[in-house]
Amino acid sequence: MPVRESASTRNTFASTFSPLRHLRSVVLVSAATMLTVGLVAGCSKTDDNSANIVRTTTNIAGAGVVGLERDTAKACPLPSSPDSASGTKTVNHAAGTSEVPADAKRIVVLSTPALDAVCALGLWERVVGAATVTGATAQPAYLGTGIAAIPGIGPVGDPDPAKIAALKPDLILGAAADGNRYDALQAIAPTVLVGDENGWQATFSGFAEAMDRKTAGARALDDYRTAAHDAGVAANSSFTQASVIRFDPKSIQVQGGNSFAAQVLGDAGVQRPQPQRADSFEVTSLSTETDRDKIEGDLIFLMFDGPDGLKYGKSIMQGDDWKKLGAVMDRREFAVEDAIWHGSGITAARALLDDMRANLNGFVGD
């Protein structure tokens, strides 16, 4: 969908006219404000064009909440096959070199990207322990209720070595940030720590190799890329410039081209506003048109960094400067799940594609 015409600098986003901007009159009943962010799609059939428009019916400070009906029952596929039937293999990783089993049976996971990778390769039932995240659930909800029941080993960034050792793992997976405890972990079981400096797809491939699923990992990425392309085509993504922002407790973090959300949207062909095509940056005021143009778009996907980010975000969204944004006036602001849009991994990426496809051409109902 092209950008609405106005005197703002966002006139430069696109020039193709779309009738969708004239179809904002359908009104649906708004539900109570909710913190959990997810997708709900409501559509009232009035004519051929409006039948294709999604209108969300639950909101946070006016933003439609995306993903409330997300089905996580099949978030993790069936188990994939290892590259080797038995034995061990040498894996080079961020903390050194490890000799890992060809088909690990008892896996401990120290980070969400690692857990996402285990899920994406169908091996989540082999996870005997996982580091927990802050929030309402011990693990991100998008990974499903089975993963939520995995025993905890302490929080991400500070796992308990004694709890890990008691689980008798044959493989430990974590992030490069766990490097300061690598020797202690390696003494318990073969440990592979993967960095994120080369992007989320390279991170996923590193974990896949550690689980002796290099072939399955490559296939999963190919399937994801096909899904991203198809989702973009279905949503006519090349006609829309999507702004993506994250409210932290004190500022607005604009998600630039180096962010996970931007990379996934790019794979689907979604365009980004010109100011958001470089790396992520911070905005602390919306008092001027120049400030507002930094977060403007055909629509805005927004997320909150925990309860404090939600509190700050609502204070901004209820202010007059926020309401001057064209996307807000058009009722095209959508609250998305932070664990997904600010995450890393194929499972999160697929969930993000679902959100994009269902809402890229959407409006928020009154």
Side-chain angles (χ1 to χ4, degrees):
M1 178 181 300
V3 175
R4 68 187 291 276
E5 294 188 348
S6 73
S8 169
T9 55
R10 71 195 188 105
N11 280 348
T12 61
F13 291 177
S15 58
T16 306
F17 173 77
S18 167
L20 294 180
R21 288 200 176 274
H22 296 281
L23 297 169
R24 293 173 291 170
S25 59
V26 175
V27 178
L28 297 176
V29 177
S30 177
T33 298
M34 300 183 69
L35 173 60
T36 303
V37 282
L39 164 80
V40 90
C43 187
S44 174
K45 185 172 183 179
T46 58
D47 58 42
D48 289 344
N49 285 323
S50 63
N52 295 321
I53 299 175
V54 173
R55 290 178 172 82
T56 62
T57 59
T58 300
N59 73 76
I60 295 175
V65 177
V66 175
L68 292 175
E69 293 181 345
R70 193 183 314 282
D71 182 5
T72 62
K74 296 182 180 179
C76 305
L78 294 174
S80 56
S81 299
D83 294 325
S84 307
S86 61
T88 62
K89 64 175 297 182
T90 302
V91 176
N92 297 315
H93 55 94
T97 301
S98 297
E99 198 75 16
V100 302
D103 193 20
K105 299 297 192 294
R106 298 182 61 82
I107 304 172
V108 162
V109 175
L110 308 180
S111 70
T112 298
L115 192 57
D116 187 296
V118 173
C119 170
L121 293 170
L123 303 182
W124 69 272
E125 290 181 295
R126 300 187 183 189
V127 179
V128 295
T132 57
V133 298
T134 57
T137 58
Q139 301 299 341
Y142 77 88
L143 291 172
T145 56
I147 281 184
I150 293 173
I153 55 167
V156 169
D158 190 23
D160 185 335
K163 289 183 177 180
I164 297 174
L167 294 170
K168 301 186 185 311
D170 56 3
L171 178 64
I172 300 172
L173 300 175
D178 292 303
N180 62 334
R181 55 181 62 85
Y182 174 69
D183 289 341
L185 294 169
Q186 184 76 355
I188 298 171
T191 300
V192 174
L193 305 182
V194 180
D196 59 3
E197 64 277 3
N198 294 317
W200 73 268
Q201 294 190 31
T203 299
F204 168 76
S205 295
F207 287 127
E209 182 180 5
M211 290 180 279
D212 198 33
R213 262 75 177 175
K214 192 171 183 178
T215 301
R219 187 182 305 114
L221 282 174
D222 285 343
D223 290 346
Y224 155 74
R225 292 168 188 140
T226 299
H229 173 268
D230 292 347
V233 170
N236 292 315
S237 62
S238 62
F239 292 103
T240 301
Q241 293 199 18
S243 171
V244 186
I245 64 173
R246 185 179 193 238
F247 290 104
D248 71 14
K250 295 182 179 179
S251 66
I252 301 172
Q253 299 294 325
V254 178
Q255 304 297 288
N258 60 332
S259 68
F260 173 69
Q263 291 167 20
V264 176
L265 291 175
D267 289 338
V270 178
Q271 304 300 301
R272 302 299 307 284
Q274 185 65 43
Q276 299 184 17
R277 295 177 185 175
D279 288 350
S280 300
F281 60 93
E282 181 180 276
V283 172
T284 57
S285 171
L286 298 179
S287 61
T288 70
E289 185 174 7
T290 299
D291 292 329
R292 294 190 293 275
D293 283 340
K294 294 175 182 178
I295 67 169
E296 185 64 278
D298 287 341
L299 78 167
I300 301 173
F301 289 116
L302 57 95
M303 62 196 103
F304 306 99
D305 180 9
D308 291 338
L310 175 65
K311 181 179 179 180
Y312 176 75
K314 289 172 70 174
S315 72
I316 295 297
M317 295 165 68
Q318 291 166 350
D320 292 339
D321 290 332
W322 177 265
K323 295 173 183 177
K324 294 175 184 177
L325 292 166
V328 175
M329 290 188 285
D330 283 350
R331 304 304 308 277
R332 304 201 64 207
E333 47 179 329
F334 297 95
V336 295
E337 190 171 347
D338 190 62
I340 293 172
W341 285 66
H342 198 251
S344 175
I346 284 186
T347 316
R350 285 186 173 276
L352 193 156
L353 290 175
D354 289 341
D355 293 348
M356 180 280 297
R357 181 173 46 233
N359 294 279
L360 193 66
N361 298 312
F363 294 88
V364 179
D366 292 323

